[in-house]
Amino acid sequence: MTMKTVICIGMAGSGKTTFMQRLNSHLRSKEEVPYVINLDPAVLNVPYGANIDIRDSIKYKKVMENYQLGPNGAIVTSLNLFSTKIDQVIKLVENKREKYEHVIIDTPGQIECFVWSASGSIITESFASTFPTVIAYIVDTPRNTSPTTFMSNMLYACSILYKTKLPMIVVFNKTDVTKADFAKEWMTDFEAFQTAVRDDQDINGENNMGSGYMGSLVNSMSLMLEEFYSQLDMVGVSSFTGEGFDDFLDAVDKKVDEYDQYYKAERERIIKDKEEKEKQRKEKSINGLMKDLGINDKKKANEDDSADVISDLEEGEYDGLVEADEDDYEGVEREYTFAGDARQGEINSDNAPDLQQRYQEAFEKLGKPASSDTAANIARHIR
Protein backbone atom coordinates (compact mmCIF):
# COMPACT_ATOMS: atom_id res chain seq x y z
CA MET A 1 0.00 0.00 0.00
CA THR A 2 1.44 3.32 -1.13
CA MET A 3 0.93 6.26 1.19
CA LYS A 4 -0.02 9.41 -0.72
CA THR A 5 -0.13 13.01 0.53
CA VAL A 6 -2.72 15.63 -0.37
CA ILE A 7 -1.85 19.23 0.60
CA CYS A 8 -4.94 21.46 0.56
CA ILE A 9 -4.17 25.08 -0.45
CA GLY A 10 -6.62 27.85 -1.22
CA MET A 11 -7.67 31.43 -0.65
CA ALA A 12 -9.30 32.45 2.62
CA GLY A 13 -12.99 31.56 2.48
CA SER A 14 -12.61 28.99 -0.30
CA GLY A 15 -13.74 26.23 2.07
CA LYS A 16 -10.48 24.35 2.74
CA THR A 17 -11.36 23.30 6.28
CA THR A 18 -14.87 22.18 5.28
CA PHE A 19 -13.33 20.35 2.33
CA MET A 20 -10.93 18.61 4.74
CA GLN A 21 -13.84 17.60 6.98
CA ARG A 22 -15.83 16.14 4.08
CA LEU A 23 -12.78 14.37 2.62
CA ASN A 24 -12.01 12.89 6.03
CA SER A 25 -15.57 11.59 6.49
CA HIS A 26 -15.74 10.35 2.88
CA LEU A 27 -12.57 8.29 3.25
CA ARG A 28 -13.80 6.91 6.57
CA SER A 29 -17.07 5.85 4.92
CA LYS A 30 -14.94 3.86 2.45
CA GLU A 31 -13.03 2.33 5.42
CA GLU A 32 -9.86 4.17 4.35
CA VAL A 33 -9.13 6.21 7.46
CA PRO A 34 -6.74 9.07 6.55
CA TYR A 35 -3.84 10.48 8.55
CA VAL A 36 -4.84 14.10 9.20
CA ILE A 37 -2.46 17.03 9.79
CA ASN A 38 -3.47 20.60 10.65
CA LEU A 39 -0.93 23.33 9.87
CA ASP A 40 -3.13 26.35 10.65
CA PRO A 41 -1.94 27.72 14.02
CA ALA A 42 -4.57 30.49 14.19
CA VAL A 43 -7.74 28.41 13.80
CA LEU A 44 -9.84 28.13 16.96
CA ASN A 45 -11.70 24.90 16.17
CA VAL A 46 -11.36 22.26 13.48
CA PRO A 47 -14.32 20.03 12.57
CA TYR A 48 -12.16 16.92 12.30
CA GLY A 49 -9.76 14.97 14.47
CA ALA A 50 -6.12 15.68 13.65
CA ASN A 51 -3.35 13.15 14.21
CA ILE A 52 -0.81 15.99 14.17
CA ASP A 53 -1.89 19.51 15.06
CA ILE A 54 0.50 22.48 14.95
CA ARG A 55 -1.48 24.04 17.80
CA ASP A 56 -0.29 21.30 20.17
CA SER A 57 3.30 22.52 19.93
CA ILE A 58 2.96 26.17 18.84
CA LYS A 59 0.83 28.67 20.76
CA TYR A 60 -0.24 31.30 18.23
CA LYS A 61 -1.12 34.04 20.72
CA LYS A 62 2.14 33.54 22.61
CA VAL A 63 4.05 33.95 19.34
CA MET A 64 2.27 37.24 18.73
CA GLU A 65 3.06 38.47 22.25
CA ASN A 66 6.66 37.24 22.46
CA TYR A 67 7.73 38.46 19.02
CA GLN A 68 5.47 41.54 18.83
CA LEU A 69 3.89 40.38 15.57
CA GLY A 70 0.64 40.84 13.73
CA PRO A 71 -1.64 37.98 12.61
CA ASN A 72 0.17 37.12 9.37
CA GLY A 73 3.65 37.52 10.85
CA ALA A 74 2.68 35.23 13.73
CA ILE A 75 1.43 32.57 11.28
CA VAL A 76 4.71 32.68 9.34
CA THR A 77 6.75 32.53 12.55
CA SER A 78 4.66 29.63 13.86
CA LEU A 79 5.28 27.72 10.62
CA ASN A 80 8.99 28.52 10.88
CA LEU A 81 9.12 27.09 14.39
CA PHE A 82 7.17 24.02 13.32
CA SER A 83 9.37 23.42 10.27
CA THR A 84 12.42 23.03 12.52
CA LYS A 85 10.87 19.73 13.68
CA ILE A 86 9.61 18.57 10.28
CA ASP A 87 12.03 15.64 10.29
CA GLN A 88 10.31 14.30 13.40
CA VAL A 89 6.92 14.78 11.76
CA ILE A 90 8.03 12.85 8.68
CA LYS A 91 9.26 9.99 10.88
CA LEU A 92 5.92 9.87 12.70
CA VAL A 93 4.08 9.66 9.39
CA GLU A 94 6.50 7.07 7.99
CA ASN A 95 5.87 4.84 11.00
CA LYS A 96 2.19 4.74 9.97
CA ARG A 97 2.93 3.86 6.36
CA GLU A 98 1.44 0.38 6.64
CA LYS A 99 -1.75 1.57 8.36
CA TYR A 100 -2.77 4.64 6.36
CA GLU A 101 -3.07 5.19 2.62
CA HIS A 102 -3.89 8.91 2.59
CA VAL A 103 -2.26 11.84 4.40
CA ILE A 104 -4.36 14.99 4.14
CA ILE A 105 -2.90 18.33 5.21
CA ASP A 106 -4.80 21.54 5.96
CA THR A 107 -2.89 24.81 5.52
CA PRO A 108 -3.50 28.39 6.73
CA GLY A 109 -6.15 30.48 5.03
CA GLN A 110 -3.55 33.20 4.44
CA ILE A 111 -2.24 31.36 1.42
CA GLU A 112 0.87 33.50 0.94
CA CYS A 113 2.01 32.68 4.48
CA PHE A 114 2.40 29.05 3.46
CA VAL A 115 3.14 29.08 -0.27
CA TRP A 116 5.73 31.88 -0.35
CA SER A 117 7.43 31.34 3.01
CA ALA A 118 10.63 29.34 3.47
CA SER A 119 8.91 27.11 6.02
CA GLY A 120 6.12 26.30 3.57
CA SER A 121 8.70 25.19 1.00
CA ILE A 122 10.52 23.09 3.62
CA ILE A 123 7.33 21.35 4.71
CA THR A 124 6.14 20.74 1.15
CA GLU A 125 9.50 19.44 -0.09
CA SER A 126 9.91 17.22 2.98
CA PHE A 127 6.66 15.42 2.24
CA ALA A 128 7.24 15.40 -1.54
CA SER A 129 10.67 13.81 -1.16
CA THR A 130 9.24 11.03 1.03
CA PHE A 131 5.74 10.31 -0.30
CA PRO A 132 3.88 10.85 -3.59
CA THR A 133 2.42 14.33 -3.03
CA VAL A 134 -0.43 16.15 -4.76
CA ILE A 135 -1.51 19.79 -4.38
CA ALA A 136 -5.27 20.34 -4.11
CA TYR A 137 -5.95 23.99 -4.98
CA ILE A 138 -9.38 24.83 -3.56
CA VAL A 139 -11.39 27.46 -5.49
CA ASP A 140 -14.54 29.26 -4.32
CA THR A 141 -16.76 28.58 -7.35
CA PRO A 142 -19.48 31.25 -6.78
CA ARG A 143 -16.85 33.98 -6.49
CA ASN A 144 -15.19 32.98 -9.78
CA THR A 145 -18.11 33.44 -12.16
CA SER A 146 -16.48 36.69 -13.30
CA PRO A 147 -13.89 35.99 -16.04
CA THR A 148 -11.37 38.45 -14.60
CA THR A 149 -11.65 36.92 -11.10
CA PHE A 150 -11.41 33.46 -12.62
CA MET A 151 -8.29 34.42 -14.54
CA SER A 152 -6.68 35.92 -11.43
CA ASN A 153 -7.32 32.71 -9.51
CA MET A 154 -5.89 30.59 -12.30
CA LEU A 155 -2.77 32.76 -12.44
CA TYR A 156 -2.34 32.16 -8.72
CA ALA A 157 -2.75 28.42 -9.30
CA CYS A 158 -0.16 28.64 -12.08
CA SER A 159 2.34 30.31 -9.76
CA ILE A 160 1.78 27.65 -7.08
CA LEU A 161 2.27 24.86 -9.62
CA TYR A 162 5.63 26.19 -10.74
CA LYS A 163 6.63 27.10 -7.18
CA THR A 164 5.99 23.63 -5.73
CA LYS A 165 6.75 21.65 -8.93
CA LEU A 166 4.16 19.07 -7.86
CA PRO A 167 1.06 17.62 -9.54
CA MET A 168 -1.98 19.86 -8.99
CA ILE A 169 -5.74 19.35 -8.95
CA VAL A 170 -7.95 22.43 -9.21
CA VAL A 171 -10.94 21.74 -6.95
CA PHE A 172 -13.96 23.95 -7.61
CA ASN A 173 -15.73 23.87 -4.25
CA LYS A 174 -19.31 24.84 -3.33
CA THR A 175 -20.88 23.38 -6.47
CA ASP A 176 -24.14 23.05 -4.52
CA VAL A 177 -24.37 26.86 -4.82
CA THR A 178 -22.96 27.32 -8.34
CA LYS A 179 -22.16 24.54 -10.79
CA ALA A 180 -18.60 24.44 -12.12
CA ASP A 181 -19.57 23.71 -15.72
CA PHE A 182 -18.67 27.24 -16.79
CA ALA A 183 -15.15 26.83 -15.37
CA LYS A 184 -14.59 23.58 -17.23
CA GLU A 185 -15.73 25.23 -20.45
CA TRP A 186 -13.44 28.22 -19.94
CA MET A 187 -10.50 25.92 -19.27
CA THR A 188 -11.04 23.85 -22.41
CA ASP A 189 -12.47 26.36 -24.91
CA PHE A 190 -10.40 29.50 -25.52
CA GLU A 191 -13.08 31.18 -27.63
CA ALA A 192 -15.76 30.60 -24.97
CA PHE A 193 -13.60 32.39 -22.42
CA GLN A 194 -12.96 35.28 -24.82
CA THR A 195 -16.70 35.61 -25.36
CA ALA A 196 -17.26 35.63 -21.58
CA VAL A 197 -14.65 38.39 -21.19
CA ARG A 198 -16.34 40.56 -23.85
CA ASP A 199 -19.77 39.97 -22.35
CA ASP A 200 -18.49 40.90 -18.91
CA GLN A 201 -17.00 44.14 -20.26
CA ASP A 202 -20.29 44.99 -22.03
CA ILE A 203 -22.29 44.42 -18.85
CA ASN A 204 -20.00 46.80 -16.97
CA GLY A 205 -20.25 49.44 -19.72
CA GLU A 206 -16.57 49.11 -20.70
CA ASN A 207 -16.87 48.50 -24.43
CA ASN A 208 -13.51 50.15 -25.08
CA MET A 209 -11.65 47.48 -23.07
CA GLY A 210 -11.67 45.10 -26.01
CA SER A 211 -8.67 46.82 -27.50
CA GLY A 212 -5.53 48.48 -26.24
CA TYR A 213 -3.49 47.48 -23.22
CA MET A 214 -6.21 45.69 -21.26
CA GLY A 215 -7.45 43.75 -24.27
CA SER A 216 -3.97 42.55 -25.23
CA LEU A 217 -3.22 41.62 -21.61
CA VAL A 218 -6.38 39.52 -21.32
CA ASN A 219 -5.70 37.79 -24.64
CA SER A 220 -2.06 37.06 -23.76
CA MET A 221 -2.92 35.61 -20.36
CA SER A 222 -5.71 33.53 -21.86
CA LEU A 223 -3.33 32.00 -24.41
CA MET A 224 -0.75 31.27 -21.69
CA LEU A 225 -3.34 29.69 -19.39
CA GLU A 226 -4.60 27.46 -22.20
CA GLU A 227 -1.23 25.70 -22.17
CA PHE A 228 -1.21 25.71 -18.37
CA TYR A 229 -4.61 23.97 -18.19
CA SER A 230 -3.22 20.95 -20.01
CA GLN A 231 -1.13 20.15 -16.89
CA LEU A 232 -4.11 20.24 -14.54
CA ASP A 233 -7.02 18.06 -13.52
CA MET A 234 -10.22 19.94 -12.73
CA VAL A 235 -12.83 18.55 -10.31
CA GLY A 236 -16.08 20.08 -9.04
CA VAL A 237 -17.08 19.14 -5.48
CA SER A 238 -19.52 20.18 -2.79
CA SER A 239 -18.17 19.99 0.72
CA PHE A 240 -21.75 20.48 1.95
CA THR A 241 -23.37 17.52 0.13
CA GLY A 242 -20.30 15.35 -0.55
CA GLU A 243 -20.83 15.44 -4.31
CA GLY A 244 -17.76 14.88 -6.49
CA PHE A 245 -15.41 13.41 -3.88
CA ASP A 246 -15.14 10.06 -5.67
CA ASP A 247 -14.01 11.99 -8.75
CA PHE A 248 -11.49 13.85 -6.60
CA LEU A 249 -9.99 10.59 -5.26
CA ASP A 250 -9.76 9.23 -8.81
CA ALA A 251 -7.91 12.40 -9.81
CA VAL A 252 -5.53 11.94 -6.86
CA ASP A 253 -4.69 8.39 -8.01
CA LYS A 254 -4.07 9.70 -11.52
CA LYS A 255 -1.76 12.42 -10.22
CA VAL A 256 0.14 9.91 -8.09
CA ASP A 257 0.94 7.96 -11.26
CA GLU A 258 2.01 11.22 -12.86
CA TYR A 259 4.20 11.97 -9.82
CA ASP A 260 5.94 8.60 -10.12
CA GLN A 261 6.45 8.99 -13.86
CA TYR A 262 7.56 12.62 -14.13
CA TYR A 263 7.91 14.57 -10.93
CA LYS A 264 9.79 11.93 -8.93
CA ALA A 265 12.43 11.57 -11.64
CA GLU A 266 12.77 15.35 -11.86
CA ARG A 267 13.13 15.71 -8.08
CA GLU A 268 15.77 12.98 -7.99
CA ARG A 269 17.67 14.78 -10.73
CA ILE A 270 17.51 18.06 -8.79
CA ILE A 271 18.73 16.36 -5.60
CA LYS A 272 21.55 14.67 -7.49
CA ASP A 273 22.61 18.02 -8.99
CA LYS A 274 22.61 19.60 -5.54
CA GLU A 275 24.77 16.79 -4.15
CA GLU A 276 27.21 17.10 -7.05
CA LYS A 277 27.48 20.87 -6.60
CA GLU A 278 28.04 20.41 -2.87
CA LYS A 279 30.73 17.83 -3.57
CA GLN A 280 32.50 20.20 -5.97
CA ARG A 281 32.23 23.02 -3.43
CA LYS A 282 33.82 20.88 -0.71
CA GLU A 283 36.62 19.73 -3.01
CA LYS A 284 37.32 23.31 -4.03
CA SER A 285 37.39 24.35 -0.38
CA ILE A 286 39.78 21.51 0.55
CA ASN A 287 42.06 22.27 -2.40
CA GLY A 288 42.17 25.91 -1.40
CA LEU A 289 43.03 24.93 2.17
CA MET A 290 45.82 22.61 1.02
CA LYS A 291 47.23 25.32 -1.22
CA ASP A 292 47.19 27.82 1.65
CA LEU A 293 49.02 25.32 3.86
CA GLY A 294 51.59 24.60 1.15
CA ILE A 295 50.81 20.88 1.13
CA ASN A 296 50.94 20.64 -2.67
CA ASP A 297 54.41 22.21 -2.75
CA LYS A 298 55.57 19.77 -0.10
CA LYS A 299 54.34 16.89 -2.17
CA LYS A 300 56.27 18.07 -5.23
CA ALA A 301 59.44 18.44 -3.16
CA ASN A 302 59.14 14.87 -1.92
CA GLU A 303 57.82 13.21 -5.06
CA ASP A 304 61.20 11.51 -5.67
CA ASP A 305 61.41 10.09 -2.15
CA SER A 306 60.81 6.38 -1.73
CA ALA A 307 58.35 6.90 1.14
CA ASP A 308 55.10 8.78 0.76
CA VAL A 309 54.18 11.42 3.29
CA ILE A 310 50.95 11.26 5.26
CA SER A 311 49.25 13.81 3.03
CA ASP A 312 50.02 11.64 -0.01
CA LEU A 313 48.56 8.54 1.55
CA GLU A 314 45.35 10.29 2.52
CA GLU A 315 44.88 12.16 -0.72
CA GLY A 316 41.63 11.31 -2.45
CA GLU A 317 37.98 12.20 -1.99
CA TYR A 318 37.90 15.08 0.47
CA ASP A 319 41.57 14.15 1.24
CA GLY A 320 40.55 12.18 4.31
CA LEU A 321 38.82 15.16 5.88
CA VAL A 322 35.31 14.14 6.88
CA GLU A 323 32.95 16.22 8.94
CA ALA A 324 31.92 14.21 11.98
CA ASP A 325 28.31 14.05 13.06
CA GLU A 326 27.69 14.17 16.78
CA ASP A 327 24.93 11.59 16.41
CA ASP A 328 27.46 9.08 15.09
CA TYR A 329 29.05 8.84 18.54
CA GLU A 330 25.92 8.47 20.61
CA GLY A 331 25.60 5.03 22.19
CA VAL A 332 28.77 3.75 20.48
CA GLU A 333 31.08 1.65 22.66
CA ARG A 334 34.77 1.21 21.87
CA GLU A 335 36.10 -2.15 20.78
CA TYR A 336 39.53 -3.22 22.05
CA THR A 337 42.04 -5.49 20.40
CA PHE A 338 43.86 -6.62 23.51
CA ALA A 339 42.50 -9.26 25.84
CA GLY A 340 41.81 -8.62 29.48
CA ASP A 341 40.90 -5.29 31.00
CA ALA A 342 41.85 -3.17 27.98
CA ARG A 343 40.17 -0.12 29.42
CA GLN A 344 43.18 0.39 31.67
CA GLY A 345 44.81 2.02 28.65
CA GLU A 346 41.96 4.44 28.11
CA ILE A 347 42.60 8.03 29.13
CA ASN A 348 39.74 9.63 31.00
CA SER A 349 39.07 11.93 33.93
CA ASP A 350 39.39 9.03 36.42
CA ASN A 351 42.88 7.87 35.52
CA ALA A 352 44.35 11.17 34.32
CA PRO A 353 46.09 11.86 37.70
CA ASP A 354 47.61 8.34 37.73
CA LEU A 355 48.78 8.77 34.15
CA GLN A 356 50.46 12.06 35.04
CA GLN A 357 52.20 10.36 37.98
CA ARG A 358 53.55 7.58 35.72
CA TYR A 359 54.84 10.20 33.28
CA GLN A 360 56.63 11.97 36.14
CA GLU A 361 58.22 8.74 37.45
CA ALA A 362 59.40 7.77 33.97
CA PHE A 363 60.90 11.20 33.43
CA GLU A 364 62.79 11.07 36.75
CA LYS A 365 64.06 7.56 36.01
CA LEU A 366 65.37 8.55 32.59
CA GLY A 367 66.94 11.65 34.08
CA LYS A 368 69.19 9.65 36.51
CA PRO A 369 72.82 8.90 35.46
CA ALA A 370 73.32 5.46 33.97
CA SER A 371 75.04 2.87 36.18
CA SER A 372 78.11 0.88 35.08
CA ASP A 373 76.04 -2.28 34.66
CA THR A 374 73.55 -0.46 32.44
CA ALA A 375 76.37 1.01 30.37
CA ALA A 376 77.92 -2.45 29.93
CA ASN A 377 74.62 -3.91 28.75
CA ILE A 378 74.16 -1.11 26.25
CA ALA A 379 77.71 -1.60 24.93
CA ARG A 380 77.17 -5.34 24.55
CA HIS A 381 74.00 -4.80 22.48
CA ILE A 382 75.77 -2.25 20.29
CA ARG A 383 78.43 -4.82 19.43
Side-chain angles (χ1 to χ4, degrees), residues 29-192:
S29 68
K30 297 167 66 70
E31 297 183 353
E32 299 177 5
V33 180
Y35 196 86
V36 184
I37 300 176
N38 172 46
L39 294 181
D40 190 349
V43 65
L44 293 178
N45 298 297
V46 290
Y48 52 80
N51 299 88
I52 297 177
D53 196 330
I54 189 174
R55 298 175 301 167
D56 294 337
S57 55
I58 308 295
K59 303 302 179 185
Y60 174 70
K61 290 186 177 180
K62 288 293 183 182
V63 172
M64 291 183 68
E65 294 174 3
N66 294 341
Y67 295 96
Q68 299 295 310
L69 297 171
N72 288 348
I75 291 176
V76 174
T77 303
S78 298
L79 288 171
N80 290 343
L81 294 172
F82 185 79
S83 65
T84 60
K85 303 296 182 182
I86 190 61
D87 57 331
Q88 299 178 19
V89 174
I90 296 297
K91 287 181 181 178
L92 287 173
V93 179
E94 277 190 305
N95 291 336
K96 304 294 184 179
R97 188 189 291 267
E98 301 299 327
K99 185 178 179 181
Y100 297 92
E101 184 176 356
H102 295 88
V103 179
I104 55 178
I105 303 174
D106 195 8
T107 59
Q110 289 76 1
I111 186 171
E112 68 280 357
C113 294
F114 181 81
V115 174
W116 303 113
S117 65
S119 55
S121 298
I122 292 171
I123 294 171
T124 302
E125 291 180 4
S126 297
F127 277 99
S129 61
T130 310
F131 314 102
T133 303
V134 178
I135 301 295
Y137 183 68
I138 315 299
V139 178
D140 187 346
T141 307
R143 291 181 179 272
N144 280 267
T145 54
S146 168
T148 53
T149 306
F150 174 83
M151 182 183 298
S152 299
N153 224 321
M154 292 301 100
L155 287 171
Y156 215 120
C158 179
S159 66
I160 294 173
L161 174 66
Y162 290 107
K163 177 68 167 61
T164 60
K165 297 182 176 64
L166 290 171
M168 176 181 285
I169 303 172
V170 179
V171 181
F172 285 90
N173 196 14
K174 307 180 183 180
T175 56
D176 56 296
V177 178
T178 303
K179 293 295 183 181
D181 296 338
F182 73 92
K184 185 175 182 179
E185 182 182 14
W186 288 353
M187 293 176 69
T188 55
D189 190 340
F190 172 75
E191 293 182 357

Side-chain angles (χ1 to χ4, degrees), residues 68-332:
Q68 299 295 310
L69 297 171
N72 288 348
I75 291 176
V76 174
T77 303
S78 298
L79 288 171
N80 290 343
L81 294 172
F82 185 79
S83 65
T84 60
K85 303 296 182 182
I86 190 61
D87 57 331
Q88 299 178 19
V89 174
I90 296 297
K91 287 181 181 178
L92 287 173
V93 179
E94 277 190 305
N95 291 336
K96 304 294 184 179
R97 188 189 291 267
E98 301 299 327
K99 185 178 179 181
Y100 297 92
E101 184 176 356
H102 295 88
V103 179
I104 55 178
I105 303 174
D106 195 8
T107 59
Q110 289 76 1
I111 186 171
E112 68 280 357
C113 294
F114 181 81
V115 174
W116 303 113
S117 65
S119 55
S121 298
I122 292 171
I123 294 171
T124 302
E125 291 180 4
S126 297
F127 277 99
S129 61
T130 310
F131 314 102
T133 303
V134 178
I135 301 295
Y137 183 68
I138 315 299
V139 178
D140 187 346
T141 307
R143 291 181 179 272
N144 280 267
T145 54
S146 168
T148 53
T149 306
F150 174 83
M151 182 183 298
S152 299
N153 224 321
M154 292 301 100
L155 287 171
Y156 215 120
C158 179
S159 66
I160 294 173
L161 174 66
Y162 290 107
K163 177 68 167 61
T164 60
K165 297 182 176 64
L166 290 171
M168 176 181 285
I169 303 172
V170 179
V171 181
F172 285 90
N173 196 14
K174 307 180 183 180
T175 56
D176 56 296
V177 178
T178 303
K179 293 295 183 181
D181 296 338
F182 73 92
K184 185 175 182 179
E185 182 182 14
W186 288 353
M187 293 176 69
T188 55
D189 190 340
F190 172 75
E191 293 182 357
F193 181 74
Q194 289 293 318
T195 301
V197 171
R198 287 193 295 270
D199 293 343
D200 184 64
Q201 300 295 347
D202 291 339
I203 292 174
N204 293 312
E206 298 175 352
N207 294 319
N208 61 333
M209 298 302 289
S211 60
Y213 171 75
M214 190 61 183
S216 62
L217 177 62
V218 170
N219 291 330
S220 298
M221 287 192 295
S222 300
L223 288 171
M224 184 276 293
L225 289 176
E226 187 178 24
E227 178 65 24
F228 164 67
Y229 295 146
S230 63
Q231 306 298 322
L232 301 178
D233 277 11
M234 174 267 185
V235 179
V237 303
S238 171
S239 298
F240 181 73
T241 64
E243 178 187 1
F245 276 82
D246 284 329
D247 294 336
F248 173 76
L249 293 176
D250 291 339
V252 170
D253 292 335
K254 179 181 177 181
K255 287 299 181 182
V256 167
D257 295 337
E258 183 179 317
Y259 171 91
D260 293 333
Q261 185 175 0
Y262 300 107
Y263 289 84
K264 185 178 180 180
E266 178 65 15
R267 296 186 72 85
E268 289 177 351
R269 184 191 66 79
I270 293 173
I271 293 174
K272 185 177 180 181
D273 290 344
K274 287 183 178 179
E275 291 176 350
E276 183 64 26
K277 290 180 180 178
E278 181 65 16
K279 178 180 177 181
Q280 294 176 1
R281 186 192 66 79
K282 287 184 177 181
E283 289 181 349
K284 183 178 179 180
S285 178
I286 293 298
N287 292 334
L289 177 62
M290 293 178 65
K291 183 177 181 181
D292 292 341
L293 296 176
I295 295 178
N296 289 338
D297 296 337
K298 184 176 180 180
K299 179 182 176 182
K300 290 180 180 179
N302 293 279
E303 62 184 357
D304 295 331
D305 294 346
S306 58
D308 291 330
V309 297
I310 296 298
S311 61
D312 293 334
L313 296 175
E314 292 183 347
E315 188 174 5
E317 185 177 5
Y318 306 128
D319 300 311
L321 300 178
V322 180
E323 295 180 2
D325 190 348
E326 293 179 0
D327 296 337
D328 295 340
Y329 298 98
E330 292 183 2
V332 177

Side-chain angles (χ1 to χ4, degrees), residues 372-383:
S372 59
D373 293 340
T374 303
N377 290 333
I378 292 175
R380 185 169 61 254
H381 282 89
I382 291 175
R383 298 193 191 99

